[in-house]
Structures are given as C-alpha cells and as structure tokens.
Amino acid sequence: MDRKLKDYLKQIIIPTYRNYDKGHDEAHVLKVIANSMEIAEDYNVNREMVYVIAAFHDLGMPFGRKNHHLSSAILAYYDHVLNEYFTPEQLLIIKEAIEDHRASNTTEPRSLYGKIIAEADRDLDVDTILYRTWQYGLTHDPQLDEKEQYTRCYNHLVEKYGEGGYLKLYLETEKNKAGLDALRSLLKDPAALKDRFETVVKQNKK
C-alpha cells in the first residue's frame, strides 16, 4: 500500500474511532481491517480498496447508527485524500461497498468488495458478540436493570443470529460459519447462554 495513504488512514481516520462506543471503537475497526485483508487473500481484488473500505465502514457513526452505513459511504466518497488515489469508478465501488456492509440490509452487496466488508464485519466470535450486544444496551438503554438488559440482549441475538435471523453470510468463510454455528447452538441452550453471558459481563467489569 502507498505509504502516504496508509499513514493517512492510520494517523487520521482510524484514531477517530477512539471516540465511538465500545462496539464500534478502534479495536473493532482494526479487527475488521484485519478480517478484510485476510479474506481478500482468496480473491483478485485491489488490496488498497479493501483496506480503505474497512477503515471507513463505520466512520459515520456520529451522524446516527440507523444510517451510519450511508454517512460512512459519503465520507469516503468525498474524502479529499481518497480522491487523489482512486478513480471515480473505484470510489463508487468503495462507496457502494460501505453502503452494503450493514447486517440488517435485505439485499445482497453489489460487488465482491461489499461482500468482503460484510463478511469481515460479522466477526462471529461468541464472546465478542455477547460483549458488543451488552455494551450497546448499556449505551442506548441505560435505564434497564440487569434482568431487562439480558432480555434485550437475548431477543436481539435470536432476531439477528438465530435460525432464520436477518444476518447473512455471503462468502461463508470457514471462520464465520463455525462462529455462527457455535452461537446458534448456544441459543438452543438458554441456561448455557445465560451463564456465558454473565461470565462475559463479569470479565469486562473488571
């Protein structure tokens, strides 16, 4: 990757995530970048575009979670530095890939780049998902007590990750398939799920 472009992303763009909630913070974007680059190794794609898409994919969170995929795409498309490095056609692919990454989207990503970022953003590690779901509840529904927080988390997990849930895997990497299978198995055992959830919460309260 071009040194100037990489420095811009690492020094200006990625540190912005430090101000975001713990489900979309710097650790998250770095993980999505790493996932994206790993997945990209199996495909004939522009690595710089993959890296940029991952770096910008949640940048628009301050403008609202509901449409963050759209605001993030706009920030990338009109970014003055990216416009120095990529053609209009490449910028459009970057923009559309970011728009298409959100798990709740009902349509398939329009390009392979969109499928890569969608797959990379899933990060289907059971404990990570439980932690992010819990953190989201604390941030957005702080009035709920512990029992209500758990109920909210459980309902969200079933709606998103359960059999027939809205989350889709378009490239079906072995890592994500295994993670989703593990989470679905846990959802079928409410007692084990609650124990795992409480363990994750306890560990992260330290």
Side-chain angles (χ1 to χ4, degrees), residues 125-127 130 186 191-201:
D125 172 77
V126 172
D127 289 349
L130 295 180
L186 200 56
L193 175 64
K194 195 169 191 303
D195 286 345
R196 186 78 168 265
F197 179 83
E198 290 176 346
T199 298
V200 169
V201 169

Side-chain angles (χ1 to χ4, degrees), residues 70-146:
L70 303 179
S71 52
S72 299
I74 291 172
L75 290 172
Y77 189 68
Y78 290 104
D79 184 87
H80 69 286
V81 174
L82 299 190
N83 272 268
E84 294 178 8
Y85 285 92
F86 300 104
T87 67
E89 293 77 16
Q90 289 174 321
L91 286 168
L92 181 60
I93 292 172
I94 289 171
K95 176 176 177 289
E96 290 180 344
I98 295 172
E99 290 173 346
D100 294 345
H101 88 272
R102 191 169 183 179
S104 58
N105 284 349
T106 56
T107 56
E108 185 172 326
R110 286 164 282 185
S111 70
L112 177 55
Y113 292 90
K115 292 177 181 179
I116 289 173
I117 185 61
E119 190 84 10
D121 191 43
R122 301 302 182 254
D123 195 17
L124 296 176
D125 172 77
V126 172
D127 289 349
T128 298
I129 290 170
L130 295 180
Y131 172 72
R132 292 184 66 188
T133 305
W134 169 60
Q135 277 293 328
Y136 180 87
L138 294 181
T139 302
H140 297 274
D141 295 299
Q143 76 282 359
L144 300 181
D145 61 27
E146 288 190 13

Side-chain angles (χ1 to χ4, degrees), residues 26 147 155 173 182 196:
E26 187 174 16
K147 183 178 180 180
N155 290 337
T173 60
R196 186 78 168 265

